[in-house]
């Protein structure tokens, strides 16, 4: 009863209702404007982190290391590697030439060899490149008995359980000894498996001739064996002109079937984020984003406290919660990513004689980009939803805010649509005079009888009309002010029956409308 009394408080005067209508429209427009500002801010954050230089840097580096062919063999590049022979040709040819740029085109010395190479004269090679191999043990698969006399060794596919951890070959340097991982980089998801860190690792020299001799020595001593399943080539660059890091990984997978599958990753990221005025503008947008997140979270918490379990019955409320969750995850990723840059970047730049593992930072940058992209997707979905319902949203919200139940405007809208369809296809004559809507119950009954309605439908319509007039007179009369008027049990019963009849009528009209549409479609 308490709920019913709150739904049907005493009606206000027309002047006050008009004032409330203006307030609800103003409130709705303010909320839409606030969300629109939030959406613009989110778009600036999303697209402000990328620029065309990232694309061009990726394109230049991929062309150099993927498309450059072995001298004298136009078809042999990294993309076309299919055998171990092709792999060593690439290592001793395009890779070697692409990594070491120590002189100008006229052979003039550019800098001291103690410094890093400058690829395309503009991109500093950070630290030294690293080559890493993962292998599987022998007898990780079973040879059928009829073929055991022909083949005594069997190397299965790569898994962490099948991985070979023993030393092999010359067993004198790190490339022949298994090394455990000392990095936080995620495992690599390749074509044939998920590869963990560690393996048989060696780094390249800053001298081009020493690196070439290293490759020749490894090739002659069979560093690649039948148990080899993947080889990673990792290195990082920095271009000061555009303030971008390019983290590169070339991958050659050796399936158990034989042959080689190649893949690659080029990540151009901006690790030094706050340098220019535009960067500080993006930082201000990040702060604004956090403020919006706090405000929206507070609003949803208030709604949950007010509506309790009823709040979770709406799919759009779940969308609100999903959007807030994505925003919090994006903020968490961004915070962790910036903290790791602050802690690791200085150390990585100091180790010029060692491999600088920027892959970990690049991965977290990609995670953050993906998360913010998903967030903006759902934010636009919510925006389109608000654009669709903005004409009814304010009315329903205002009805609840002033303590009365919303009118059945949906039923009126469907009724009117049904009449419009009938009139459009000339199945019913259009009303020429608006005064026909005010006919008495006798005239309506007579007209309904002529149109083919039975007596039960006519009686229900007359009863509903009486209910509506009595309720409107009691609760929405101009003489009644804002004083509180409790609803009796009998009145609540009438309200409930009135709502049930309206629901039945709405269902009936919907069926009629579907029939008309099907008839029209069949024409």
């Amino acid at each position: 009863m308490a709920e019913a009394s709150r739904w049907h408080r005493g009606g206000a005067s027309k002047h006050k209702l008009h004032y409330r209508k203006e307030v609800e429209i103003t409130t709705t427009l303010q909320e839409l404007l606030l969300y629109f500002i939030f959406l613009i801010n989110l778009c600036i954050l999303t697209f402000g982190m990328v620029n065309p230089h990232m694309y061009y840097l990726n394109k230049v580096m991929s062309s150099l290391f993927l498309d450059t062919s072995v001298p004298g063999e136009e078809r042999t590049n990294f993309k076309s590697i299919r055998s171990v022979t092709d792999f060593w040709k690439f290592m001793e040819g395009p890779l070697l030439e692409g990594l070491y740029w120590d002189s100008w085109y006229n052979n003039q010395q550019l800098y001291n060899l103690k410094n890093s190479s400058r690829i395309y004269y503009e991109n500093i090679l950070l630290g030294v490149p690293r080559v890493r191999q993962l292998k599987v043990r022998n007898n990780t698969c079973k040879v059928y008995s009829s073929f055991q006399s022909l083949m005594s060794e069997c190397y299965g596919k790569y898994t962490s359980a099948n991985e070979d951890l023993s030393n092999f070959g010359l067993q004198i340097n790190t490339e022949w000894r298994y090394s455990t991982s000392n990095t936080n980089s995620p495992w690599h998801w390749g074509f044939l498996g998920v590869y963990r860190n560690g393996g048989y690792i060696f780094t390249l020299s800053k001298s081009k001739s020493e690196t070439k001799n290293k490759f020749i020595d490894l090739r002659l001593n069979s560093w690649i064996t039948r148990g080899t399943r993947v080889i990673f080539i990792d290195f990082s660059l920095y271009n000061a002109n555009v303030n971008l890091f390019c983290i590169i990984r070339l991958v050659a997978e050796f399936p158990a079937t034989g042959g080689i599958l190649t893949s690659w990753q080029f990540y151009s990221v901006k690790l030094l984020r706050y340098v220019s005025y535009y960067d500080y503008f993006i930082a201000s947008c990040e702060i604004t984003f956090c403020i919006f997140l706090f405000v929206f979270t507070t609003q949803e918490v208030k709604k949950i406290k007010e509506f309790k379990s009823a709040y979770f019955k709406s799919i759009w409320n779940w969308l609100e919660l999903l959007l807030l969750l994505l925003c919090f995850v994006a903020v968490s990723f961004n915070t962790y990513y910036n903290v790791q840059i602050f802690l690791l970047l200085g150390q990585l730049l100091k180790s010029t004689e060692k491999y600088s593992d920027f892959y970990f930072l690049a991965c977290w940058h990609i995670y953050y980009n993906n998360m913010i992209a998903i967030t903006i997707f759902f934010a636009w979905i919510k925006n389109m939803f608000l654009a669709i319902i903005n004409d009814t949203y304010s009315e329903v919200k205002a009805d609840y805010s002033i303590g009365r139940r919303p009118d059945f405007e949906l039923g009126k809208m469907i009724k009117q649509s049904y009449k419009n369809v009938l009139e459009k296809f000339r199945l019913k004559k259009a009303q020429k005079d608006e005064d026909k809507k005010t006919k008495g119950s006798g005239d309506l009954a007579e007209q309904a009888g002529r149109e083919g309605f039975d007596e039960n439908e006519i009686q229900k319509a007359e009863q509903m009309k009486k209910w509506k007039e009595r309720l409107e007179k009691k609760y929405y009369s101009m003489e009644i002010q804002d004083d509180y008027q409790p609803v009796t049990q009998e009145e609540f019963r009438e309200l409930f029956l009135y709502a049930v009849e309206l629901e039945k009528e709405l269902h009936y009209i919907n069926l009629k409308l579907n029939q008309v549409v099907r008839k029209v479609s069949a024409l």
Side-chain angles (χ1 to χ4, degrees):
M1 281 306 156
E3 292 293 330
S5 63
R6 284 200 299 268
W7 285 349
H8 296 279
R9 275 185 172 179
S13 64
K14 286 187 176 181
H15 175 73
K16 291 186 177 181
L17 289 176
H18 179 71
Y19 173 75
R20 288 172 179 170
K21 193 71 174 178
E22 291 181 349
V23 170
E24 74 188 38
I25 293 175
T26 304
T27 303
T28 303
L29 292 178
Q30 289 175 351
E31 293 182 355
L32 290 176
L33 179 61
L34 184 65
Y35 187 77
F36 186 67
I37 295 174
F38 165 76
L39 204 57
I40 293 177
N41 184 79
L42 184 59
C43 290
I44 293 175
L45 282 181
T46 304
F47 300 107
M49 295 183 299
V50 297
N51 60 67
H53 296 300
M54 292 181 175
Y55 166 76
Y56 293 122
L57 185 57
N58 283 347
K59 182 177 177 60
V60 168
M61 292 302 151
S62 62
S63 176
L64 176 62
F65 292 104
L66 302 181
D67 300 328
T68 303
S69 302
V70 176
E73 301 183 21
E74 295 182 356
R75 295 184 178 179
T76 305
N77 55 31
F78 184 76
K79 293 180 178 179
S80 64
I81 291 176
R82 295 295 179 267
S83 65
V84 176
T85 302
D86 293 340
F87 180 81
W88 284 118
K89 287 180 179 180
F90 168 78
M91 297 288 284
E92 299 173 21
L95 179 65
L96 196 66
E97 298 297 328
L99 288 175
Y100 296 94
W101 295 61
D102 51 6
S103 61
W104 194 245
Y105 61 88
N106 58 0
N107 294 326
Q108 180 182 357
Q109 197 75 17
L110 288 179
Y111 46 83
N112 193 318
L113 289 178
K114 293 182 179 180
N115 296 325
S116 297
S117 172
R118 286 171 171 76
I119 300 175
Y120 279 124
Y121 312 112
E122 302 293 346
N123 304 280
I124 302 175
L125 182 62
L126 301 174
V128 291
R130 183 187 69 179
V131 181
R132 179 167 65 95
Q133 175 188 180
L134 294 177
K135 300 172 57 183
V136 295
R137 301 186 310 273
N138 186 17
N139 297 324
T140 51
C141 52
K142 186 176 181 180
V143 180
Y144 190 68
S145 58
S146 301
F147 292 92
Q148 288 180 356
S149 59
L150 301 175
M151 183 177 293
S152 59
E153 298 177 340
C154 185
Y155 297 89
K157 66 179 183 179
Y158 176 85
T159 63
S160 58
N162 293 342
E163 187 175 355
D164 189 358
L165 307 180
S166 61
N167 302 332
F168 76 106
L170 301 180
Q171 302 186 14
I172 54 176
N173 295 319
T174 58
E175 59 265 28
W176 306 101
R177 296 174 177 270
Y178 186 86
S179 302
T180 57
S181 172
N182 56 358
T183 179
N184 295 324
S185 297
W187 292 9
H188 181 86
W189 196 320
F191 290 134
L192 304 175
V194 180
Y195 305 100
R196 65 180 186 178
N197 300 316
Y200 304 91
I201 304 171
F202 69 93
T203 56
L204 306 186
S205 171
K206 286 184 175 292
S207 170
K208 182 178 180 180
S209 59
E210 291 180 8
T211 300
K212 185 173 183 180
N213 293 334
K214 185 77 168 182
F215 287 159
I216 294 174
D217 180 68
L218 293 174
R219 174 169 55 84
L220 295 178
N221 290 282
S222 300
W223 187 65
I224 300 177
T225 66
R226 287 185 57 194
T228 300
R229 286 296 171 260
V230 65
I231 295 178
F232 299 96
I233 305 170
D234 296 297
F235 54 96
S236 304
L237 313 170
Y238 175 69
N239 190 305
N241 300 333
V242 293
N243 188 28
L244 289 177
F245 290 79
C246 186
I247 293 87
I248 301 174
R249 168 169 286 185
L250 306 179
V251 184
E253 296 181 75
F254 296 73
T257 58
I260 298 178
L261 300 176
T262 58
S263 58
W264 49 88
Q265 293 175 340
F266 292 83
Y267 295 142
S268 291
V269 297
K270 189 174 183 178
L271 300 181
L272 302 174
R273 299 187 60 187
Y274 307 114
V275 178
S276 63
Y277 290 110
Y278 179 75
D279 297 334
Y280 288 109
F281 170 70
I282 296 296
S284 66
C285 292
E286 292 175 346
I287 297 174
T288 305
F289 177 80
C290 294
I291 296 174
F292 274 115
L293 182 57
F294 175 77
V295 172
F296 291 153
T297 303
T298 305
Q299 291 178 350
E300 294 307 311
V301 170
K302 290 182 179 178
K303 290 180 182 178
I304 293 175
K305 289 182 178 179
E306 179 180 357
F307 297 104
K308 298 181 180 179
S309 60
Y311 174 87
F312 299 98
K313 295 181 180 180
S314 172
I315 188 174
W316 297 110
N317 290 338
W318 283 103
L319 176 61
E320 288 276 5
L321 295 178
L322 176 61
L323 184 59
L324 289 177
L325 176 63
L326 292 174
C327 290
F328 275 110
V329 174
V331 171
S332 301
F333 278 19
N334 188 38
T335 303
Y336 179 78
Y337 168 66
N338 284 306
V339 170
Q340 292 300 317
I341 290 177
F342 176 77
L343 295 176
L344 299 177
L345 188 58
Q347 299 177 4
L348 293 174
L349 294 177
K350 288 180 181 179
S351 57
T352 58
E353 300 296 329
K354 299 180 181 179
Y355 167 69
S356 299
D357 188 9
F358 286 89
Y359 188 77
F360 170 74
L361 297 178
C363 288
W364 273 101
H365 181 84
I366 299 303
Y367 296 158
Y368 173 65
N369 283 351
N370 294 340
M371 183 55 59
I372 204 71
I374 296 173
T375 302
I376 198 173
F377 170 75
F378 283 101
W380 275 103
I381 287 182
K382 177 186 174 183
N383 182 67
M384 290 185 290
F385 169 70
L386 290 177
I388 293 173
I389 68 165
N390 62 354
D391 55 337
T392 59
Y393 171 77
S394 60
E395 180 176 352
V396 175
K397 182 177 180 182
D399 286 339
Y400 279 107
S401 65
I402 63 177
R404 63 182 180 87
R405 199 171 188 176
D407 294 331
F408 293 88
E409 296 295 334
L410 181 61
K412 295 180 181 179
M413 182 179 65
I414 296 178
K415 290 180 185 178
Q416 187 62 36
S417 301
Y418 174 65
K419 293 180 181 179
N420 292 339
V421 170
L422 293 178
E423 294 173 0
K424 184 174 182 180
F425 294 101
R426 298 181 180 178
L427 299 178
K428 180 180 178 180
K429 293 184 179 180
Q431 294 180 349
K432 296 182 179 179
D433 190 2
E434 292 293 334
D435 293 335
K436 291 182 179 180
K437 298 180 181 179
T438 59
K439 286 184 176 181
S441 59
D443 295 336
L444 289 175
E446 182 181 354
Q447 182 182 359
R450 290 198 304 268
E451 293 183 0
F453 290 94
D454 56 24
E455 294 183 358
N456 291 332
E457 292 177 340
I458 296 174
Q459 291 177 359
K460 287 182 179 180
E462 291 178 348
Q463 185 179 10
M464 290 178 63
K465 186 170 186 263
K466 292 178 181 178
W467 281 350
K468 185 174 183 298
E469 290 175 352
R470 186 166 63 253
L471 292 173
E472 287 181 349
K473 182 177 180 181
K474 179 174 180 60
Y475 298 107
Y476 301 102
S477 175
M478 291 181 59
E479 291 79 9
I480 300 176
Q481 302 300 323
D482 284 339
D483 56 326
Y484 177 80
Q485 292 192 3
V487 178
T488 63
Q489 185 174 1
E490 182 64 26
E491 290 172 341
F492 180 76
R493 180 177 175 276
E494 291 183 357
L495 287 171
F496 178 77
L497 293 175
Y498 180 51
V500 170
E501 293 298 329
L502 280 177
E503 185 176 1
K504 290 180 181 179
E505 183 182 1
L506 179 62
H507 179 69
Y508 175 75
I509 292 175
N510 191 25
L511 292 177
K512 287 284 188 179
L513 182 60
N514 290 336
Q515 292 177 0
V516 172
V517 172
R518 284 196 296 268
K519 290 180 181 180
V520 172
S521 300
L523 296 178

